[in-house]
Amino acid sequence: MTIPRYTAIKDHIIRRVDTAHWKAGDRVPSENELAAEFSVSRMTARRALQELGEQGILVRTQGLGSFVADARPMSSMLKIQSIDTEIRARGREHSAEVLTLEQTEADHNTAVLLGLDQGAVIYHSVLLHSENGQPLQYEDRYVNPKFGPDYLAQNFTATTPSSYLSAISPLTKADQTIEAVCVNAEVGNVLQISLNEPCLKLNRRTWCKRGIVTIATLIYPGSRFRLGGHLNF
Amino acid sequence: MTIPRYTAIKDHIIRRVDTAHWKAGDRVPSENELAAEFSVSRMTARRALQELGEQGILVRTQGLGSFVADARPMSSMLKIQSIDTEIRARGREHSAEVLTLEQTEADHNTAVLLGLDQGAVIYHSVLLHSENGQPLQYEDRYVNPKFGPDYLAQNFTATTPSSYLSAISPLTKADQTIEAVCVNAEVGNVLQISLNEPCLKLNRRTWCKRGIVTIATLIYPGSRFRLGGHLNF
DNA sequence: TGTATATACATGTATAGACATCTAAAATCG
DNA sequence: CGATTTTAGATGTCTATACATGTATATACA
């Protein structure tokens, strides 16, 4: 089975909503109607409607039916793109300094995050990205050699780790968390900030189809950086 | 049937996670084990685990099992959701304290952000939202009276400002920025954190079709909160 | 006329079972 | 011993069915 049937039903409904075939407030087919139309069991049709309800695309009411929601929740979140394109998009000059580029062994924590065994060989890099010469991002990254075999041979002043990795194997998904922290003396010194200054810390895991490619910790000085986003309902 | 059985199973698991009975990274019982333990079918046990996975409390991997998430990402950041539903969805108790609720005049900065003239009459509220009694969000909000005429008459311990406003006029879009800051003594005192502790500060402007409805500043203690999200390429 | 009651139909909860897919560890083979 | 295959167990998808609960409408009764 390539794609689940409930996904096909969801796609079908979304298409009709997007093309204004079904407008806000319209009733969409009931679970039983969809089940008959797609020749699936009611539970499968139900799952499609239910997930669309959780996504805010439909509003479901017991005894009444499922209706197209009038306000749609946003689909894209904070725009977080490669730091170099980000800087260049602002019309400024991007430069990178390679602080570390080495082969090492995974400690317990890193191994768990990468889905490897403790002590497994992994690649490690630390870079400082600057905007017009002013430090803007401290990038600490671990890479699964399986998905980036030539990682250590790259020149990361010319191309960023993230763009190298995405060129090797297409990235399928990522999860990330954002938190506010204060940095230690070493990182603070590199970023040229005082020790009390709060920073944004972004922890991201990136996957390709066959597994976890890399984990990255990105630190931005709070005084110079803001993450901006746009939401559409 | 008073409460659904899958809810009881969810509560049971949440309790064990909260009391550190099961710690981050621990494996929780499998679908079959839970089904046997609670004398329910596998599909019912599955629903409990699945919903906890969607809430970010568990991480489920096919072939491996379900594990307690290490840092609980708060929201999917994919939708703007009120803090109270967010907290309740995680099986915890939400409470709010109204620190300020007043009519005032817009200063220059606020007027610009709201698209009003300086000195225009606006509504202002300051709330503290808590999860199980622990301060989690400091909410400082200005509202354009045009889009929320009865704002000052609301009881914000029962309903949140955001849900009141979205009920009045459908919201069409929002923009926001996230930064890391240290808070002043007043806010720090309310949030019960030390002055050196970094916080996440979220500045958000929300529109309806006819104009800017509200601007909000949301502050989360860095030690208790992470923003989490998923990206799909 | 107005109020109950019955009915149809929608979603909500739950069961029992089948097969698919993925992972890690055990067993087997060279 | 190392590489390959098998196997056990976990989640993922799907079916068919049953009953519970909420809503609106039609019907019967006072």
Side-chain angles (χ1 to χ4, degrees):
Chain A
M1 194 170 310
T2 54
I3 68 165
R5 299 200 197 183
Y6 68 82
T7 304
I9 301 177
K10 282 177 67 176
D11 289 346
H12 172 259
I13 296 174
I14 287 177
R15 217 177 306 123
R16 298 231 155 182
V17 171
D18 279 346
T19 59
H21 227 93
W22 292 333
K23 296 173 200 165
D26 286 357
R27 227 206 72 190
V28 306
S30 72
E31 298 177 356
N32 281 318
E33 289 167 345
L34 282 176
E37 181 181 345
F38 286 87
S39 301
V40 297
S41 77
R42 188 195 140 205
M43 291 306 287
T44 301
R46 172 181 178 74
R47 176 159 183 180
L49 290 174
Q50 186 137 33
E51 292 195 358
L52 290 172
E54 285 164 4
Q55 292 172 24
I57 293 175
L58 300 182
V59 176
R60 285 158 61 73
T61 311
Q62 181 173 114
L64 276 181
S66 304
F67 305 84
V68 178
D70 35 54
R72 288 222 282 141
M74 67 156 274
S75 48
S76 76
M77 65 176 241
L78 291 171
K79 183 176 62 178
I80 298 172
Q81 53 189 5
S82 198
I83 184 74
D84 57 335
T85 46
E86 170 106 36
I87 290 175
R88 277 192 270 268
R90 286 196 258 176
R92 305 214 171 79
E93 189 198 343
H94 166 264
S95 59
E97 188 182 345
V98 179
L99 304 175
T100 302
L101 185 55
E102 60 178 2
Q103 172 177 320
T104 181
E105 293 181 359
D107 61 20
H108 176 70
N109 201 26
T110 308
V112 166
L113 286 171
L114 273 175
L116 295 174
D117 294 329
Q118 187 169 348
V121 169
I122 53 175
Y123 300 151
H124 177 218
S125 65
V126 179
L127 273 75
L128 176 68
H129 296 275
S130 299
E131 177 184 63
N132 280 1
Q134 195 174 45
L136 190 67
Q137 185 197 81
Y138 180 91
E139 174 191 346
D140 193 334
R141 185 180 293 272
Y142 292 93
V143 174
N144 185 342
K146 187 174 159 192
F147 301 121
D150 301 323
Y151 191 75
L152 298 180
Q154 301 304 308
N155 171 19
F156 287 131
T157 61
T159 176
T160 63
S162 122
S163 60
Y164 163 72
L165 290 172
S166 67
I168 291 289
S169 45
L171 309 177
T172 56
K173 66 168 181 170
D175 60 20
Q176 59 188 359
T177 59
I178 300 174
E179 56 186 323
V181 298
C182 283
V183 296
N184 60 30
E186 187 189 340
V187 176
N189 190 39
V190 169
L191 280 174
Q192 296 173 24
I193 56 175
S194 68
L195 288 188
N196 297 334
E197 184 176 326
C199 292
L200 279 177
K201 182 174 167 187
L202 220 137
N203 308 288
R204 184 186 297 160
R205 277 198 305 175
T206 309
W207 310 59
C208 71
K209 206 144 203 167
R210 293 180 304 144
I212 302 172
V213 177
T214 179
I215 57 175
T217 301
L218 310 177
I219 298 177
Y220 303 86
S223 57
R224 295 189 209 121
F225 191 78
R226 270 189 194 191
L227 277 174
H230 202 82
L231 314 174
N232 284 297
F233 293 96
Chain B
M1 192 169 311
T2 55
I3 68 164
R5 298 198 197 184
Y6 68 82
T7 303
I9 300 177
K10 282 178 67 176
D11 289 345
H12 173 259
I13 295 174
I14 287 178
R15 217 176 308 124
R16 298 230 154 184
V17 171
D18 275 347
T19 58
H21 221 95
W22 291 333
K23 298 172 200 166
D26 285 358
R27 227 205 72 190
V28 305
S30 73
E31 298 177 356
N32 282 318
E33 288 166 346
L34 282 176
E37 182 180 347
F38 286 87
S39 301
V40 296
S41 76
R42 190 196 137 204
M43 291 305 288
T44 300
R46 173 182 177 73
R47 175 161 183 180
L49 290 174
Q50 187 136 31
E51 293 195 357
L52 290 172
E54 286 163 5
Q55 293 172 23
I57 292 175
L58 300 181
V59 175
R60 283 157 63 73
T61 311
Q62 181 173 119
L64 274 181
S66 305
F67 305 83
V68 178
D70 33 53
R72 325 151 166 179
M74 187 67 179
S75 84
S76 48
M77 231 181 353
L78 300 173
K79 45 187 166 189
I80 294 187
Q81 189 166 306
S82 2
I83 184 81
D84 59 333
T85 42
E86 189 81 54
I87 289 175
R88 275 193 272 267
R90 297 154 57 70
R92 305 205 171 79
E93 191 198 343
H94 165 265
S95 58
E97 187 183 346
V98 180
L99 304 176
T100 302
L101 185 56
E102 61 178 3
Q103 173 178 318
T104 180
E105 293 180 0
D107 61 19
H108 176 71
N109 200 26
T110 309
V112 167
L113 285 172
L114 274 175
L116 296 173
D117 294 330
Q118 186 169 350
V121 169
I122 53 175
Y123 300 150
H124 177 220
S125 64
V126 179
L127 272 75
L128 176 68
H129 298 274
S130 298
E131 179 184 62
N132 279 1
Q134 196 174 44
L136 192 67
Q137 185 198 82
Y138 179 92
E139 174 191 346
D140 191 334
R141 184 181 293 273
Y142 292 95
V143 174
N144 185 341
K146 187 175 158 190
F147 300 121
D150 300 323
Y151 191 75
L152 298 181
Q154 302 303 309
N155 172 18
F156 288 131
T157 61
T159 176
T160 62
S162 124
S163 61
Y164 163 72
L165 291 172
S166 67
I168 291 289
S169 45
L171 308 176
T172 56
K173 66 168 181 170
D175 64 15
Q176 60 186 358
T177 60
I178 299 175
E179 56 187 323
V181 298
C182 282
V183 296
N184 59 31
E186 187 191 339
V187 176
N189 190 39
V190 170
L191 280 173
Q192 294 173 24
I193 57 175
S194 68
L195 289 187
N196 299 333
E197 185 176 325
C199 292
L200 280 177
K201 181 173 167 188
L202 221 139
N203 309 288
R204 183 185 295 158
R205 278 197 304 173
T206 309
W207 274 261
C208 72
K209 210 148 201 166
R210 294 180 302 144
I212 302 173
V213 177
T214 180
I215 57 175
T217 301
L218 310 176
I219 298 178
Y220 303 87
S223 57
R224 296 189 208 120
F225 189 79
R226 272 191 195 191
L227 276 175
H230 298 272
L231 310 173
N232 284 297
F233 296 96

